[in-house]
Amino acid sequence: MIDSLRQDPWIRAHYQFWFFSYPSGYPYPYSAMLLRRDLDGIKRAFPGQKRIILIGHSMGGMISRLMVTDARDTIWRDFFGTPPARTPLAGETRQLLGESLVFNHRPEVKRVIFISTPHRGSKLASGWIGRVGASLVRTPRLFEPVYAAMKPILVADTAARQLNRMANSVDTLEPNDRFVEAVNKIPITPGIPYHSIIGDRGRGDTPNSSDGVVPYWSSHLDGAQSELIVNSDHGAQSNPDAIREVERILKTYPESRNHETQPKPRKSGLTSRTQSKKRL
């Protein structure tokens, strides 16, 4: 996708592509915390930066979702039943959980494009494939003392899956994951537009469709400025129609409002409706 977009002279002249890489084994609230830290670093290094359009595929989309969400201490209270100041946690555990669970939207993010994003999780993660995958993902040791400290004071949630360890990336893709459910109760911050690109494997059966990993009911978001269904499996970021849609969005909503040479957006004939490192 990036190689294709960079071939367009107008996009090269108006956009600079940056990447956020993260270990896919991390719980995605922690990866989102790391992204917020990186954004803070960018703000310090480049105080005059233009606002950002986030493009997130799969879990990268879930991380991007947290950048446009005003959770405040709602999720913390859901987990512990008390505000942060009254919760008996200390030291690095308090800091890590505070940065992961208490957050607001990032003002530098202007717009988000979600690609094959399981906003409400995927039942695949709950099945035997997910169980095998979760068993192969090693939770980093830094989470062991955090889990030990938080487990005794967590508010019981019988609807959520019970674990004897800190949730890893596969666990946080389950539809009944506690954090996933909590986030979906909080709307995306008003005034930040977002778009969805979703695969249906060419079956044309939306809203009963799936990209083979993420079903439509999980990837669809009410209120999206545009939604494009493409003939693709879960790797929709490589689909030519998805790439053209990203190009359309970038050209329709340029970061600088003072460009005199903004091209007209291309019309689309389609209906708009690993312990490895991963990228948004």
Side-chain angles (χ1 to χ4, degrees):
M1 173 179 282
I2 299 303
D3 288 342
S4 297
L5 293 172
R6 280 178 173 158
Q7 292 177 21
D8 186 290
W10 190 91
I11 288 182
R12 286 203 310 272
H14 295 82
Y15 285 95
Q16 183 182 69
F17 292 97
W18 288 41
F19 301 91
F20 171 68
S21 297
Y22 59 97
S24 59
Y26 281 0
Y28 85 93
Y30 180 75
S31 296
M33 181 203 78
L34 296 179
L35 176 56
R36 285 190 288 269
R37 287 181 177 179
D38 281 356
L39 291 174
D40 288 339
I42 292 171
K43 187 175 182 180
R44 290 191 297 269
F46 306 101
Q49 65 167 318
K50 295 178 182 178
R51 295 181 70 192
I52 298 168
I53 294 181
L54 286 178
I55 305 175
H57 169 258
S58 195
M59 185 176 288
M62 298 175 78
I63 294 171
S64 298
R65 164 73 159 88
L66 301 187
M67 300 301 110
V68 291
T69 302
D70 288 313
R72 301 183 176 85
D73 67 351
T74 300
I75 298 176
W76 180 289
R77 288 173 179 265
D78 181 73
F79 275 46
F80 300 112
T82 56
R86 292 174 49 197
T87 305
L89 292 168
E92 294 182 1
T93 294
R94 171 178 287 278
Q95 180 180 354
L96 187 150
L97 288 174
E99 290 188 67
S100 299
L101 301 180
V102 182
F103 53 87
N104 292 313
H105 79 278
R106 301 294 307 200
E108 65 267 65
V109 176
K110 175 185 179 180
R111 185 176 301 271
V112 182
I113 303 173
F114 298 111
I115 304 176
S116 305
T117 300
H119 297 286
R120 301 172 188 86
S122 170
K123 292 182 179 179
L124 194 67
S126 305
W128 69 268
I129 295 177
R131 294 287 181 266
V132 172
S135 68
L136 296 175
V137 175
R138 179 176 298 176
T139 304
R141 291 183 179 179
L142 68 92
F143 294 118
E144 293 177 1
V146 174
Y147 178 75
M150 64 184 289
K151 183 178 180 180
I153 59 175
L154 275 175
V155 174
D157 184 352
T158 56
R161 183 189 171 204
Q162 305 303 308
L163 295 172
N164 295 318
R165 53 173 171 75
M166 178 70 81
N168 60 38
S169 58
V170 178
D171 300 317
T172 52
L173 289 176
E174 294 194 15
N176 65 340
D177 176 76
R178 190 167 188 168
F179 188 83
V180 170
E181 291 185 332
V183 168
N184 279 287
K185 294 176 184 177
I186 305 172
I188 290 176
T189 301
I192 305 177
Y194 50 94
H195 308 258
S196 296
I197 300 174
I198 301 168
D200 72 346
R201 295 180 288 176
R203 299 185 178 184
D205 54 347
T206 302
N208 300 314
S209 56
S210 169
D211 64 16
V213 175
V214 182
Y216 179 79
W217 58 259
S218 181
S219 55
H220 168 78
L221 286 178
D222 291 335
Q225 276 210 349
S226 66
E227 178 181 284
L228 183 68
I229 308 299
V230 298
N231 179 2
S232 172
D233 56 15
H234 189 58
Q237 77 280 5
S238 300
N239 178 273
D241 293 323
I243 294 172
R244 283 194 293 269
E245 174 69 354
V246 172
E247 176 187 343
R248 180 193 71 81
I249 295 169
L250 295 182
K251 288 184 174 181
T252 305
Y253 308 101
E255 287 309 291
S256 174
R257 299 179 181 178
N258 299 320
H259 298 316
E260 298 178 357
T261 58
Q262 179 181 345
K264 294 181 180 180
R266 177 184 297 174
K267 292 183 179 179
S268 172
L270 297 177
T271 302
S272 285
R273 296 203 12 124
T274 43
Q275 208 65 8
S276 60
K277 288 281 188 176
K278 302 195 76 175
R279 288 172 171 173
L280 288 183

